[in-house]
């Protein structure tokens, strides 16, 4: 890969990697750090990474960095399942907020494979390469995650915050 191809990767994938990281980390600053470190890693290997394989390389690196960050946070403080909606954006509609809250309740691996499949449009094989899972494991985690989301979103009580 050359410098112009690297710049093209930054233009094409930086926002997508940021959204992917933000949905898992629920912290804009940490998501920006993941994006920055992801592109720093590909820059270090610019001579060995082919331009055609840059996208999977970037998302794999981002995935590993997110896992590292989550583990680091769990050692110092418990992961807060409820995310601060103001830090994400005030432009989300009510349905998007509910969906983000529901996604936040899923285990990390299920949330990541669902985001890669449904938000980013990766194939099962590509998701397996990014996460290090087999294709059948990816399918199982997506099925379980979608089932849990459907169960949670089906109940009207989960859609409305009712104060006693």
């Amino acid at each position: 890969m050359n410098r112009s191809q690297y710049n093209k990767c930054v233009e094409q994938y930086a926002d997508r990697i940021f959204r992917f990281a933000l949905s898992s980390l629920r912290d804009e600053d940490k998501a920006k750090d993941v994006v920055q470190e992801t592109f720093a890693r590909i820059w270090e290997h610019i001579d060995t990474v082919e331009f055609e394989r840059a996208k999977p390389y970037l998302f794999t690196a981002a995935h590993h960095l997110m896992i590292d960050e989550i583990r680091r946070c769990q050692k110092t403080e418990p992961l807060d399942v409820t995310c601060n909606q103001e830090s994400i954006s005030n432009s989300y509609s009510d349905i998007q907020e509910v969906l983000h809250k529901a996604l936040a309740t899923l285990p990390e691996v299920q949330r990541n494979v669902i985001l890669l499949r449904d938000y980013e449009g990766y194939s099962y094989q590509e998701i397996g390469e990014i996460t290090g899972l087999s294709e059948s494991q990816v399918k199982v985690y997506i099925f379980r995650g979608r089932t849990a989301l459907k169960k949670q979103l089906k109940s009207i009580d989960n859609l409305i915050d009712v104060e006693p």
Side-chain angles (χ1 to χ4, degrees), residues 2-133:
N2 59 36
R3 184 176 287 221
S4 66
Q5 290 173 326
Y6 173 83
N7 290 335
K8 189 173 182 179
C9 284
V10 172
E11 290 173 14
Q12 287 181 339
Y13 304 121
D15 289 338
R16 294 172 72 181
I17 293 171
F18 175 75
R19 285 192 314 267
F20 178 56
L22 182 62
S23 62
S24 290
L25 299 173
R26 295 181 299 277
D27 183 318
E28 285 188 23
D29 292 331
K30 288 179 182 177
K32 288 177 184 176
D33 290 343
V34 166
V35 173
Q36 184 174 0
E37 182 61 27
T38 299
F39 282 103
R41 286 190 180 184
I42 198 169
W43 181 257
E44 292 170 359
H45 298 98
I46 195 166
D47 295 331
T48 59
V49 177
E50 298 174 20
F51 178 68
E52 295 77 26
R53 298 288 304 151
K55 181 179 175 185
Y57 182 93
L58 289 166
F59 276 89
T60 301
H63 173 75
H64 290 294
L65 288 166
M66 289 179 341
I67 298 291
D68 292 344
E69 182 62 33
I70 290 168
R71 286 180 181 156
R72 189 174 17 260
C73 288
Q74 286 176 340
K75 286 182 181 176
T76 58
E77 60 188 52
L79 185 64
D80 186 13
V81 176
T82 60
C83 63
N84 182 358
Q85 293 296 326
E86 292 175 0
S87 71
I88 293 176
S89 173
N90 290 330
S91 66
Y92 286 126
S93 70
D94 292 337
I95 293 171
Q96 287 175 323
E97 287 180 27
V98 170
L99 184 57
H100 284 287
K101 285 180 183 178
L103 278 169
T105 64
L106 293 178
E108 187 66 28
V109 68
Q110 289 179 5
R111 180 172 51 244
N112 284 339
V113 295
I114 286 175
L115 291 171
L116 287 169
R117 177 71 178 172
D118 296 336
Y119 280 58
E120 299 299 330
Y122 281 105
S123 69
Y124 296 119
Q125 182 181 4
E126 290 172 322
I127 295 169
E129 291 173 9
I130 290 170
T131 60
L133 301 170

